[in-house]
Amino acid sequence: MALIYCLASQGPAVALDLSANEQAGKRLYREGLSSSDAQLTARVGASDISVPASVLPCASCHGNDGRGRSEGGVRPPSLDWQRLALGQGERESNSRRYPAYSDASLARVIRSGIDPAGNRLDPAMPRFELTLADQRNLTAYLKRLGEERDPGVQENTLRLGTLLPQQGPLAEAGRVVRAVLEDSVEQLNRLGGVHGRRVQLVVQDPGYDPVSTQQALQALLQQQVFALVAPVAPLLQTQALERAGVPLIGSTPRTGGASLVFDPLPSVPEQLLSVALHARETLRLENLQIVYAGADQAADAEALRQRLQQLGWSPPPPQEAVATQAAGEGIVFVGRAQAFAELAGRLQAVGRTPYLFAASAQVASAVPGLPAQWSQRVFLAYPFVPGDWTAQGRAALAGMQRRQGLDARQASLQVSTLCAWRLLTEALQQVGRDASREQLLAALEQLHDVDTGLTPLLGFGPGRRQGLAGAHVVAVSLPGPRFVEVAPYRAAAQMP
Ligand code: HEC
C-alpha cells in the first residue's frame, strides 16, 4: 500500500544555512559567476570552443538540486557528495568506473575532464577554468548541494501529503478521498511514478476542529512533504503552508493562502453567479436577495454582491438567514445544508416559496428532504455534471469505483479529488526531475485546457487559482429529487 498513516514525527525541515564561501559556490554553480571580477570560461565540446561559464552554468545540466538529468544520451550524473566522494569502493556513471573523488581530483575533473581513475569524460561535460578561490567555493557548495532539495523530493521517491479525518462528520468524505488518492497513487507508480520517482502519500488525521487541524498540518509539514493534495478538513488555516511555501491542490474550506492554493473547482461566489444569471435571464426575476447563514459565509455573500454589481445589477445588501424577511421573488443562498433546510422551512411556514438558488456543493444533502412545494423552485449550481463525462472519463471513473468499491452516487467528491490529482501530476510531469516547489507553482500556473474527461476543461493562470470559473444550472423536481440541467456551463469570463 502506498499510503502511510504517520504517528511519529521527525524533526522539522531546516532551511539551508550557507556560509559566505558556500554562497559564492552556489552562485558559481547556478549562474557561472566568479566571486571576483574574473570572467570564468568553459571550454565546450570536442573542439574546445571557449564560452563564458555564465552561458553554461553547472545547474543548466546537473539541475539546481544536483540530481542530474535522465534525458539525453550521455547524461549529467547526480553530483550528490555522498555518491561522488564519501565511503569506500568504486562508483560508476555513464559506464566509467572510478574510485571516490577527493577535493583535488574533483578540481581536476572540472578543469580537465579526467576522472579519478584517469578516464576521459565525454566532451558533453565542459572543462572550466576556475580561480583557486572559485574552485574552493564550488567544492564547499557541492558538499552541501544534496541538502538543497525541497523537502519531500528524494532520489527515488516523491512525498505528497494530505489530511483525511477518520472520525467525526467528515469521516465519510475522508474515506472516499483516501480511496481515490490511494488508487491514483497506485496507478501512477505502476507506470513508473513521476520522472523516476515513486509517489508516496503521507496522511495525517485532522480531527474535526480547527485546532486539531492546525496540529495535523504542522505534523504533516514536519514529515517533509513536497505538496499537499486534496485535504479534507473543517477549515484549514494556511499560514503554516505560506511560511513553508508548500503548494496545495484541492478544494477544502480555508482561510488565506491565496497564492499557494490551487482549487480545481470554482469559488462559491463564482458558482452562484451562474444561477443568479439564470434567475435574471431565463426566469426574468428582477430582485434577488442574497441570504447567508453564519458569519463565516458573509464574505462570500459580499463577494457575490460585488460581482453582481459589476454586471450592472443593484442587489440589496446580503441578509443573515435568521433575520431574513426575504420579500423578494428569489433568494440566492450562501451557507450549508442544515441552514438551507431551516430557511426553506421558515419560509414555508409563512406560506412563501420563492425561488431558491444555491451551490450544490453547499446544500446538496438537504435537497432530498425538501417538501414537494419546492419542486421547480430550487436551482443549484454544479461545476460539472455527468453530461460533461466523455466515454474515456466515464470508463476511468467506473474502473476506479470498481477497484475501490466506491459508490457511484458519491461521484461528485470522487471527481473533484481526481481533478486535484490530475492537475498536480500534470504539473509535476512538466516540472521534470529537478523538482522544486517554486517550479511546481509556476507549472501549475501555466496549466490550461486540461481535459479530465469528467469536467469542462481545467486551467489556471497568473493570479488565477480556480481551475473552473463557472457552473451548470440544474433545476430540482420533488419528490425525488430529480435533477435537470436547465443552463449549460458558462465561465464567469463569458458572462455579460
Ligand atoms: C553542458 C552540460 C554540462 C555542464 C554545463 C556541466 N556539466 Fe558536469 N557533466 C556533464 C555530463 C554530460 C557529464 C557526464 C560525462 C561522462 O560521464 O562522461 C558530467 C560529469 C560531471 C562530473 C563527473 C561526475 C562523475 O560521476 O564522474 C562532475 C564532477 C561534474 N560534471 C561537475 C560539473 C560542475 C561542477 C559543473 C559546473 C562548473 C558542470 N559539471 C557543468 C554535463 C555538464
Side-chain angles (χ1 to χ4, degrees), residues 16 26 68 86 95 102 114 122-123 144 191 198 228 250 266 271 276 298 325 338 372 386 398 443 445 458 462 485:
L16 196 54
K26 177 173 178 173
L86 300 184
S95 338
S102 62
I114 309 279
D122 189 280
R144 305 289 309 274
L191 296 172
R198 287 176 61 80
L228 262 59
Q271 296 190 41
Q325 303 301 315
Q338 166 105 21
E445 206 170 73
L458 301 180
E485 182 174 353

Side-chain angles (χ1 to χ4, degrees), residues 28-30 32 42 44 53 55-62 73-79 83-84 91-96 98-99 101 105-106 109-110 113-116 119-128 130 135 138-139 142:
L28 204 174
Y29 183 85
R30 294 211 172 177
V44 186
V55 175
L56 280 177
C58 321
S60 67
C61 294
H62 293 276
V74 181
R75 56 185 207 93
S78 160
L79 298 184
R83 187 190 79 79
L84 285 178
R91 6 237 109 180
E92 183 179 342
S93 62
N94 295 321
S95 338
R96 281 181 296 105
Y98 51 90
Y101 279 94
S105 59
L106 182 76
V109 77
I110 294 170
I114 309 279
D115 78 8
N119 301 311
R120 190 164 286 281
L121 264 56
D122 189 280
M125 162 71 189
R127 279 72 56 206
F128 292 86
L130 305 181
Q135 179 59 58
L138 180 60
T139 305
L142 288 178

Side-chain angles (χ1 to χ4, degrees), residues 115-301:
D115 78 8
N119 301 311
R120 190 164 286 281
L121 264 56
D122 189 280
M125 162 71 189
R127 279 72 56 206
F128 292 86
E129 279 149 30
L130 305 181
T131 67
L132 210 57
D134 283 325
Q135 179 59 58
R136 256 194 230 119
N137 294 341
L138 180 60
T139 305
Y141 180 63
L142 288 178
K143 292 178 182 175
R144 305 289 309 274
L145 184 57
E147 303 163 45
E148 191 77 292
R149 278 168 280 140
D150 275 334
V153 187
Q154 276 134 7
E155 185 72 35
N156 300 315
T157 55
L158 179 71
R159 281 155 80 88
L160 301 173
T162 193
L163 300 171
L164 300 175
Q166 292 180 294
Q167 275 162 17
L170 293 173
E172 179 55 16
R175 190 186 68 79
V176 171
V177 172
R178 179 190 163 127
V180 174
L181 290 177
E182 211 174 308
D183 192 76
S184 304
V185 167
E186 203 177 306
Q187 302 296 314
L188 183 71
N189 284 340
R190 183 168 301 158
L191 296 172
V194 194
H195 294 290
R197 294 191 179 98
R198 287 176 61 80
V199 170
Q200 219 177 41
L201 197 64
V202 183
V203 182
Q204 281 281 339
D205 187 335
Y208 34 84
D209 65 63
V211 176
S212 57
T213 301
Q214 213 47 25
Q215 288 164 349
L217 181 60
Q218 285 297 350
L220 198 57
L221 294 179
Q222 284 180 6
Q223 289 162 81
Q224 313 261 317
V225 295
F226 184 61
L228 262 59
V229 60
V232 176
L235 182 68
L236 199 62
Q237 282 160 347
T238 54
Q239 291 96 322
L241 291 182
E242 283 166 86
R243 245 176 281 123
V246 182
L248 184 160
I249 300 86
S251 303
T252 190
R254 63 193 171 264
T255 59
S259 66
L260 291 167
V261 179
F262 289 77
D263 190 338
L265 301 183
S267 67
V268 166
E270 265 177 335
Q271 296 190 41
L272 290 175
L273 205 54
S274 306
V275 281
L277 230 66
H278 181 72
R280 187 162 80 164
E281 292 177 350
T282 310
L283 302 173
R284 305 263 161 228
L285 302 188
E286 284 307 322
N287 46 25
L288 282 180
Q289 175 65 52
I290 302 171
V291 170
Y292 65 96
D296 55 333
Q297 307 291 332
D300 275 355

